[in-house]
Amino acid sequence: SRYNLSSMTIYDAETTFGRDRILKQAKHIDPNLVETGINENGIPYEYTPRIELATPAEYTGDEFYAAFKKYGEERPKLKADFVYTPFQEDLTGLPLRILPPQIAFIDSFSKFGTKATEAIQEKAGIGETGQNMLFMRDGLVKTQMMNELPSLTIRNGLYFIMTAQIGENKQLDPYSAPRQTLSFLKNNLKLKRVPDEYRYNVHNLLFNFAMRPLLNSTTKAPEYPRDSSENESKNDSDLQTIMVMNLRGKSGSSGKPVTIIYSQSEGVKASLSEFHHIKEEGFGVTNKQGNYTIDLMPDYKVGRTTIRQALETDVKLRNAVRIMSEMLQASNEWRFLPKEWFCTPKELYEDIKAKGYDWDELLNTRGYWTFDQYTHPVPFLSFIDLLKMRVGLYHPYWMESKK
């Protein structure tokens, strides 16, 4: 949603997605992801030009991969497709140019079928010896694919996101020692029908577990209702918490559970997850019987039953919550920043305000870079910029110089 030159193709190997679900969740994340209008017959239409859906009805898994691979290998030949980033190359000092991300999402790799396995299934019935070769052939194709992906993706600006199913790791010999394949995955669990390369070639291997409804302990209705006036029933299970653990990460720590808030009808609630995180940790949020005060917006008051809607409609509140969540994550995980940069959200607010900055202006910003970094209508300001501003090491480039 942040990079309008990027797109995603979903390969729905399990044929469970559905176009309507994609449209609904894409619109909720960013209305600009779904194009709407009136066709020549006066009939309203909507579609996702940057999100395509493919199924086994059009391609077998290996046919989809071959088509996406061919597309990727053609990209570097088109010099006009490269775009500038706000980052500089280490050697030349010139702006770094990259291919915009193009994403393939495979759900799931466990059910990812190939033309060869389909042929085996057609020739041999269920229970016949010919079927014994099915999983061996399936594993060979997937192994070849996983071995190609590291070089294929980095050269051509491609990104692959895949899911795999988790199953019980049954021991044929009850007296043999269980085989542990991942340090943070229990011995009695395994990834189903994926090769070993799936575990160690990927950049991050995220394990989703312990999904449960997020209910208020008193009312038994959702902890954060969609609307304060909405009469949501008790034990409504639409709003859920999912525990996510990185089983293996190439650029960060592994084994630490993180709570993500998810709506079954609307998708991942990113800002609400950030708010829940800082609220539970008592970092920049004061909770008085379900009424919250936000340290970066001290005059703003919001309740438990209104915070969800407020985050979706108030960009300054979203940014305040994001900044505090990122500060908390950095203080817990990052050891490379100077200690004097770290502070509480209250100290950040007061010290920056004392320097003459207007927090209304600072919160009407974005915390992520874009290809049009310096011409984007919303100015850039990261939480690290704010930490440096507090100690007098930075002044936003898009602001007039302070006298």
Side-chain angles (χ1 to χ4, degrees):
S1 65
R2 293 174 176 176
Y3 306 102
N4 57 14
L5 297 175
S6 66
S7 64
M8 172 187 281
T9 303
I10 300 170
Y11 185 71
D12 183 14
E14 299 183 0
T15 61
T16 56
F17 255 102
R19 179 180 173 277
D20 289 343
R21 181 184 176 195
I22 294 173
L23 285 171
K24 186 176 182 180
Q25 296 201 357
K27 281 195 294 186
H28 187 79
I29 292 170
D30 184 349
N32 294 322
L33 277 175
V34 179
E35 186 171 336
T36 60
I38 305 294
N39 66 17
E40 59 186 8
N41 297 318
I43 300 173
Y45 69 84
E46 58 183 8
Y47 65 103
T48 49
R50 289 166 52 205
I51 304 175
E52 302 292 339
L53 179 64
T55 71
E58 296 91 34
Y59 305 96
T60 59
D62 54 339
E63 288 174 335
F64 168 78
Y65 172 69
F68 201 80
K69 176 182 175 181
K70 182 179 179 181
Y71 158 73
E73 290 175 337
E74 293 295 319
R75 300 185 76 208
K77 300 175 184 177
L78 303 174
K79 297 296 184 183
D81 283 356
F82 283 84
V83 291
Y84 287 100
T85 74
F87 306 107
Q88 291 183 337
E89 294 184 12
D90 291 338
L91 297 178
T92 65
L94 298 174
L96 183 68
R97 297 176 75 222
I98 66 168
L99 287 162
Q102 301 297 317
I103 304 165
F105 174 38
I106 298 174
D107 184 37
S108 67
F109 203 45
S110 300
K111 290 289 187 180
F112 190 80
T114 65
K115 206 166 188 177
T117 56
E118 281 192 1
I120 293 172
Q121 288 174 319
E122 289 173 2
K123 290 179 181 178
I126 295 175
E128 294 182 9
T129 56
Q131 290 273 8
N132 296 339
M133 293 294 295
L134 181 66
F135 295 115
M136 185 180 297
R137 181 66 180 173
D138 181 68
L140 178 63
V141 172
K142 290 178 179 178
T143 298
Q144 292 172 340
M145 177 177 163
M146 291 300 302
N147 283 331
E148 285 185 358
L149 282 179
S151 58
L152 173 71
T153 53
I154 196 169
R155 284 199 308 264
N156 305 310
L158 304 180
Y159 293 77
F160 276 74
I161 302 171
M162 305 179 185
T163 68
Q165 297 174 1
I166 293 284
E168 186 179 355
N169 190 12
K170 295 180 180 179
Q171 294 288 125
L172 296 178
D173 181 359
Y175 299 103
S176 65
R179 180 189 174 207
Q180 187 171 21
T181 55
L182 290 162
S183 299
F184 299 105
L185 189 66
K186 293 181 180 179
N187 288 345
N188 65 328
L189 297 177
K190 67 174 182 178
L191 300 174
K192 296 172 64 176
R193 292 186 64 181
V194 296
D196 288 344
E197 285 76 6
Y198 188 94
R199 297 197 300 272
Y200 56 77
N201 269 4
V202 296
H203 193 74
N204 290 292
L205 184 59
L206 302 174
F207 176 36
N208 301 338
F209 65 101
M211 185 173 178
R212 58 176 61 92
L214 180 56
L215 302 175
N216 182 266
S217 58
T218 302
T219 66
K220 304 303 179 185
E223 176 71 11
Y224 307 113
R226 294 182 185 87
D227 189 294
S228 60
S229 62
E230 187 174 353
N231 184 23
E232 293 186 306
S233 61
K234 290 183 178 181
N235 301 312
D236 184 331
S237 61
D238 179 73
L239 198 65
Q240 302 264 340
T241 58
I242 306 175
M243 298 299 291
V244 179
M245 179 189 295
N246 201 347
L247 296 176
R248 174 171 288 170
K250 298 286 181 70
S251 61
S253 60
S254 304
K256 184 174 182 178
V258 176
T259 301
I260 302 295
I261 296 181
Y262 171 79
S263 163
Q264 296 186 69
S265 60
E266 298 174 347
V268 170
K269 313 296 290 182
S271 295
L272 194 59
S273 297
E274 291 170 334
F275 173 80
H276 187 72
H277 179 216
I278 58 177
K279 185 200 79 172
E280 293 296 295
E281 295 291 327
F283 188 81
V285 176
T286 303
N287 181 7
K288 292 184 178 179
Q289 297 180 331
N291 294 306
Y292 306 122
T293 302
I294 312 295
D295 281 356
L296 292 189
M297 299 176 66
D299 297 327
Y300 188 96
K301 302 293 186 292
V302 65
R304 177 184 66 81
T305 60
T306 56
I307 182 65
R308 179 171 170 180
Q309 186 180 37
L311 285 168
E312 293 179 5
T313 56
D314 191 328
V315 64
K316 289 190 291 185
L317 178 62
R318 278 200 306 275
N319 277 328
V321 166
R322 172 188 56 79
I323 290 165
M324 292 190 294
S325 177
E326 291 173 348
M327 288 174 64
L328 178 57
Q329 292 175 61
S331 65
N332 288 337
E333 301 293 335
W334 291 7
R335 300 291 180 266
F336 55 85
L337 294 181
K339 290 183 179 180
E340 60 269 21
W341 289 13
F342 290 104
C343 61
T344 65
K346 185 176 182 180
E347 290 170 333
L348 183 70
Y349 177 85
E350 292 176 347
D351 292 349
I352 287 183
K353 184 178 180 181
K355 291 180 180 294
Y357 290 102
D358 181 356
W359 271 100
D360 278 344
E361 186 177 11
L362 298 179
L363 291 177
N364 273 306
T365 55
R366 57 184 164 87
Y368 55 91
W369 69 268
T370 62
F371 294 123
D372 57 346
Q373 176 80 344
Y374 302 109
T375 57
H376 194 286
V378 181
F380 174 78
L381 189 69
S382 71
F383 84 96
I384 290 185
D385 292 339
L386 288 165
L387 296 182
K388 293 170 68 176
M389 288 167 65
R390 174 180 167 267
V391 295
L393 295 177
Y394 180 71
H395 177 74
Y397 64 87
W398 42 267
M399 277 188 179
E400 292 184 4
S401 298
K402 297 182 75 64
K403 297 180 179 179

